[in-house]
Amino acid sequence: MSSKSGDRSQTIDLAALSAQQLSSVKKQLDDELEHLTNSFTKLQAAQTQFRDCFRSVSEGISSKTAGKAILVPLTTSLYVPGTLADTDGVIVDVGTGFFVERSTKDAMAFYNGKIEELSSNLKDLEGIVQGKSNNLRVVEDGMAARPIQPSGANGGGSTPAEGAGKRKWYPSGQNMSVQCR
């Protein structure tokens, strides 16, 4: 998920940015945070699906269940009745519409590997989301600390509120660059 060679960290003095530039940085962080949060939710859903598959194979298939009537999912909402004929092999969806026949032991190992991989990705992504959230909070604090300027002011020469000039923005460094014009 992270590439050490591509990591960049940049510090921006919030007091040196105009209100328009701060607003632009805030919007960029809002957009990134929304995208990362959506990705996080989708990864959690995929992990839950793999856990369900693992549980179905580990608990639902045994020599006792051979010949029993089951419901076979054709889609997420369409099931057809069937009979469990083989308790030693299952068909595993390996992604993008490809299915592979595997032993139940191999299927559980496959699903367990996917669960662990997603756990690692979620942990990495959680750190990135927290970093972006902290950055957003600092930018919002920097915006709130600025005095409100009259509508005719160009922003040049005004002094930020006490303590705002000491605030720094520390991005998480996940291939993010901030361009202020």
Side-chain angles (χ1 to χ4, degrees):
M1 186 131 236
S2 69
S3 69
K4 297 294 180 194
S5 62
D7 284 356
R8 292 182 288 180
S9 183
Q10 186 178 6
T11 303
I12 297 175
D13 184 1
L14 294 179
L17 297 178
S18 68
Q20 184 179 8
Q21 289 171 322
L22 271 178
S23 178
S24 176
V25 169
K26 181 185 179 307
K27 181 179 178 352
Q28 181 181 358
L29 284 171
D30 280 334
D31 292 345
E32 288 176 0
L33 195 57
E34 181 181 351
H35 173 72
L36 290 171
T37 304
N38 289 338
S39 296
F40 189 84
T41 302
K42 289 176 184 176
L43 284 176
Q44 282 182 319
Q47 187 181 43
T48 300
Q49 189 174 15
F50 282 125
R51 281 191 176 128
D52 290 343
C53 291
F54 179 85
R55 192 171 20 93
S56 294
V57 172
S58 66
E59 296 174 6
I61 300 177
S62 68
S63 58
K64 296 176 187 177
T65 57
K68 285 193 174 182
I70 60 170
L71 290 175
V72 179
L74 294 181
T75 66
T76 56
S77 61
L78 177 63
Y79 293 82
V80 295
T83 304
L84 185 60
D86 183 11
T87 59
D88 295 327
V90 293
I91 296 176
V92 176
D93 182 358
V94 293
T96 63
F98 288 98
F99 296 86
V100 177
E101 188 172 345
R102 299 228 170 139
S103 69
T104 53
K105 183 178 178 180
D106 288 344
M108 289 190 312
F110 172 80
Y111 288 131
N112 196 39
K114 289 292 187 180
I115 292 167
E116 289 175 6
E117 181 182 357
L118 286 173
S119 291
S120 173
N121 291 346
L122 283 167
K123 184 178 179 182
D124 292 345
L125 189 55
E126 184 176 18
I128 293 168
V129 167
Q130 287 175 350
K132 297 284 184 186
S133 295
N134 290 340
N135 292 343
L136 181 60
R137 202 169 14 260
V138 169
V139 169
E140 288 172 341
D141 289 348
M143 291 174 76
R146 288 184 178 241
I148 299 175
Q149 298 175 357
S151 60
N154 64 0
S158 67
T159 331
E162 182 65 33
K166 297 178 184 170
R167 294 183 188 269
K168 301 278 186 188
W169 176 53
Y170 300 100
S172 64
Q174 292 296 318
N175 296 329
M176 183 182 126
S177 63
V178 176
Q179 297 175 346
C180 298
R181 295 182 181 142

